Amino acid sequence: MKIRSLTIYCSASNKIDKKFFKMSKEVATIISNYHIKVIYGGGNVGLMGVIAKTLADLKKEVIGVIPKFLIKKEKVSLKINKLKVVSNMSKRKEYLFKLGDAFLILPGGTGTLEEVIEVLSWKILKLHNKPIIFLNFDNYWSPLIKQFEKIIENKFGNKNLQNQFQVIKNPKQLNKIL
């Protein structure tokens, strides 16, 4: 499947280690080498902000989706091509899902975790067959991936769980996927 639009789930925190900001800038720079529209949470903070700013500076198409109540907190980026303001988080997740041909999961907090579990669950339920890519930078997602293994071992899920997503360790590996 050729990826034409990529939804990126990631952190909205500015308090994280600088290595994550550097990694997200590298991700955005790599994506900019391809004809891919990026969809993200619409904020201008954390990894979201780095992704949006880097791609906008490189004149790439970026679409943000943000609920009205987060506009002040996440400091909306005015540099992006399009901003969709929605009424709530459910609508945000709905648009992030609909607009992306694939999902790239960068390090993030509970919001990122919620988003990835939802798209993974929907894939298992055969509601979509879009690629899901974890960037397991600095082994950030390793505990979650281990939990997925535990789910299978204990028969809380089916054995195909690990086949529902791809795991890469560094941004450069995106070149093989994109």
Side-chain angles (χ1 to χ4, degrees), residues 18-178:
K18 301 232 182 288
K19 67 184 175 187
F20 293 106
F21 291 103
K22 183 179 175 198
M23 173 273 302
S24 63
K25 186 172 177 110
E26 184 179 357
V27 165
T29 303
I30 288 168
I31 292 169
S32 76
N33 293 318
Y34 299 89
H35 189 67
I36 295 174
K37 169 178 35 182
V38 169
I39 297 92
Y40 83 112
N44 200 27
V45 293
L47 303 186
M48 279 199 304
V50 171
I51 295 285
K53 181 181 182 333
T54 303
L55 288 167
D57 288 348
L58 294 168
K59 308 286 188 250
K60 299 299 173 180
E61 189 172 2
V62 182
I63 298 172
V65 182
I66 193 164
K68 194 173 189 172
F69 79 93
L70 279 180
I71 289 175
K72 285 184 182 172
K73 182 178 182 189
E74 293 189 355
K75 301 175 182 122
V76 172
S77 174
L78 299 176
K79 289 184 160 193
I80 63 175
N81 304 89
K82 184 177 178 186
L83 180 68
K84 176 119 182 99
V85 178
V86 295
S87 57
N88 57 51
M89 292 298 280
S90 294
K91 285 288 183 197
R92 178 196 225 180
K93 290 190 304 178
E94 178 184 334
Y95 278 99
L96 291 172
F97 173 77
K98 279 184 188 177
L99 296 174
D101 290 339
F103 307 100
L104 176 60
I105 295 87
L106 302 184
T110 55
T112 304
L113 188 58
E114 176 188 11
E115 291 160 337
V116 73
I117 294 299
E118 184 170 78
V119 295
L120 183 56
S121 295
W122 289 356
K123 189 167 184 177
I124 291 164
L125 293 169
K126 300 189 183 320
L127 298 175
H128 74 88
N129 194 30
K130 299 176 183 184
I132 300 170
I133 306 134
F134 279 91
L135 176 47
N136 194 20
F137 178 76
D138 203 30
N139 292 310
Y140 184 84
W141 292 112
S142 291
L144 179 62
I145 294 164
K146 280 275 190 224
Q147 183 61 41
F148 292 155
E149 292 168 8
K150 195 169 188 169
I151 288 169
I152 301 309
E153 285 169 19
N154 290 288
K155 306 205 184 329
F156 285 101
N158 85 35
K159 64 182 177 185
N160 294 323
L161 181 60
Q162 302 299 60
N163 297 329
Q164 305 303 314
F165 56 87
Q166 220 174 331
V167 179
I168 58 175
K169 290 250 179 214
N170 63 66
K172 287 179 179 54
Q173 290 177 292
L174 278 172
N175 286 306
K176 291 179 183 173
I177 297 168
L178 303 177

